[in-house]
Amino acid sequence: MLDAKRPKLLWLQSITCNGNTHSFLNHPDLFSILSHFELIHHPVLETSYSLEDVIHGELACDVLIIEGAFTKSGLTKGGVEVSQILESYADKAVHIITTGTCATFGGIFRQKDPENISGFCFKESEETERYKQYASKLISLPGCPIHPKWLSYVLLMIANRKHIPIDEMHRPQELYGITVHTGCSRNEYFEWKVDTKGFGLKEGCLFYELGCQGPYTRGSCNRILWNDISSKTVAGTPCFGCTEPSFPKTVLFETKTNMGIPATMPLGVPRRAYLTATGIVKSFKIKRFEERIIDYDR
């Protein structure tokens, strides 16, 4: 059961670049959100308890946030294995939030040592030995880094004792039930199979030639914009698929094709239906899509 007053929140790091910590620090309502909790420890913010206090494993913990990839050996803090510290507080916690793709699936750091580095409960899409023990508590928030408002959504739902619907990977459906393609400002170009002419341009779709993974990556990046104004595709950069277990991939700026057809179909779209739609759409020529959105010469 959660603390009847304010749930006790503990943020611990394993193998990490601090990206999710710094992303969350950019939340415009950071301290308002944290006011719903008693912050036991945070890697950057000042708290009543030091890391030395945490290491002993004796502090109370209702909500455990894990940042960074997990390893059983070779990573210590204060002479204690980080895995031991994490599992100690995971046993106590009512909710465990794996924050970022590394904590959730292993991410970039898993590439260094795939046999010994993973996410806390998943190794890519496979369940780890810890999954059964902690699955009932687990909320996955993959992203590299996460959007700060994804974490605030989960924390406020917990603070208000609301149920969070999750998918098979324990990702909140409110945040990951759609693809990054949903809400993309380039959707009209995607529908009419109009490619962009280069990075950073406002016109054209990035999927057909420049490697955008938005149509088959789950996430709300184009619904909940970064800094309320932008996203990768808004800025003219393809989605890298960072919320998926398969991240990171190679060849990020080129679409792999088989006989001119994208090797990976948009999520849920049968290949035959895609080919039929493409054949119809390619027969149209729409002058508007050949023009710049902004005429800089005027």
Side-chain angles (χ1 to χ4, degrees), residues 181 183-208 210 212 222 231-238 289 293:
H181 183 68
C184 178
S185 60
R186 300 169 184 271
N187 276 354
E188 196 173 28
Y189 293 106
F190 173 85
E191 293 164 3
W192 293 97
K193 309 295 183 289
V194 178
D195 303 318
T196 189
K197 304 303 180 185
F199 299 111
L201 300 177
K202 296 180 180 295
E203 304 83 15
C205 179
L206 296 149
F207 172 69
Y208 299 106
L210 298 184
C212 183
N222 280 309
S231 70
K232 277 189 172 66
T233 56
V234 168
T237 299
F289 293 141
I293 293 175

Side-chain angles (χ1 to χ4, degrees), residues 26-98:
N26 282 299
H27 197 296
D29 300 312
L30 175 67
F31 293 105
S32 174
I33 294 160
L34 291 179
S35 69
H36 294 272
F37 299 86
E38 181 184 346
L39 189 58
I40 300 300
H41 179 75
H42 188 279
V44 174
L45 299 174
E46 185 176 356
T47 59
S48 300
Y49 299 95
S50 67
L51 181 59
E52 286 70 26
D53 296 324
V54 172
I55 287 171
H56 292 111
E58 298 175 357
L59 301 177
C61 174
D62 295 308
V63 181
L64 174 63
I65 294 178
I66 299 175
E67 178 180 15
F70 183 87
T71 182
K72 269 286 191 182
S73 61
L75 181 64
T76 63
K77 291 187 179 181
V80 180
E81 290 282 350
V82 170
S83 60
Q84 179 182 326
I85 300 170
L86 290 174
E87 290 176 341
S88 173
Y89 285 106
D91 289 338
K92 299 179 181 183
V94 179
H95 299 284
I96 301 169
I97 307 171
T98 55

Side-chain angles (χ1 to χ4, degrees), residues 118-294:
S118 68
F120 187 65
C121 285
F122 291 101
K123 178 182 288 188
E124 292 189 346
S125 59
E126 296 180 3
E127 298 170 2
T128 68
E129 62 192 53
R130 291 165 296 283
Y131 178 81
K132 288 184 179 179
Q133 183 174 354
Y134 300 118
S136 63
K137 308 177 177 184
L138 180 64
I139 301 170
S140 302
L141 284 182
C144 190
I146 59 162
H147 193 296
K149 291 187 178 179
W150 297 353
L151 180 54
S152 68
Y153 163 79
V154 171
L155 289 178
L156 290 177
M157 290 287 280
I158 290 173
N160 288 286
R161 292 167 171 77
K162 300 292 186 181
H163 172 65
I164 303 174
I166 56 175
D167 65 14
E168 70 282 357
M169 307 299 292
H170 292 252
R171 299 173 292 195
Q173 292 176 338
E174 182 71 27
L175 304 173
Y176 298 90
I178 58 175
T179 65
V180 173
H181 183 68
T182 305
C184 178
S185 60
R186 300 169 184 271
N187 276 354
E188 196 173 28
Y189 293 106
F190 173 85
E191 293 164 3
W192 293 97
K193 309 295 183 289
V194 178
D195 303 318
T196 189
K197 304 303 180 185
F199 299 111
L201 300 177
K202 296 180 180 295
E203 304 83 15
C205 179
L206 296 149
F207 172 69
Y208 299 106
E209 292 186 6
L210 298 184
C212 183
Q213 299 175 40
Y216 51 89
T217 295
R218 294 189 179 276
S220 47
C221 304
N222 280 309
R223 281 278 187 88
I224 307 174
L225 295 176
W226 291 76
N227 297 319
D228 295 327
I229 60 171
S230 194
S231 70
K232 277 189 172 66
T233 56
V234 168
T237 299
C239 165
F240 298 156
C242 74
T243 61
E244 293 295 330
S246 56
F247 178 83
K249 296 179 180 178
T250 58
V251 193
L252 294 177
F253 298 105
E254 179 181 325
T255 299
K256 183 179 179 180
T257 61
N258 295 321
M259 299 180 66
I261 302 166
T264 304
M265 290 288 101
L267 192 64
V269 177
R271 186 172 297 273
R272 180 173 293 181
Y274 175 87
L275 293 174
T276 300
T278 298
I280 295 171
V281 168
K282 282 292 187 181
S283 66
F284 289 87
K285 183 177 180 62
I286 304 173
K287 185 175 185 299
R288 175 166 61 87
F289 293 141
E290 300 175 356
E291 300 172 345
R292 300 293 299 271
I293 293 175
I294 300 174

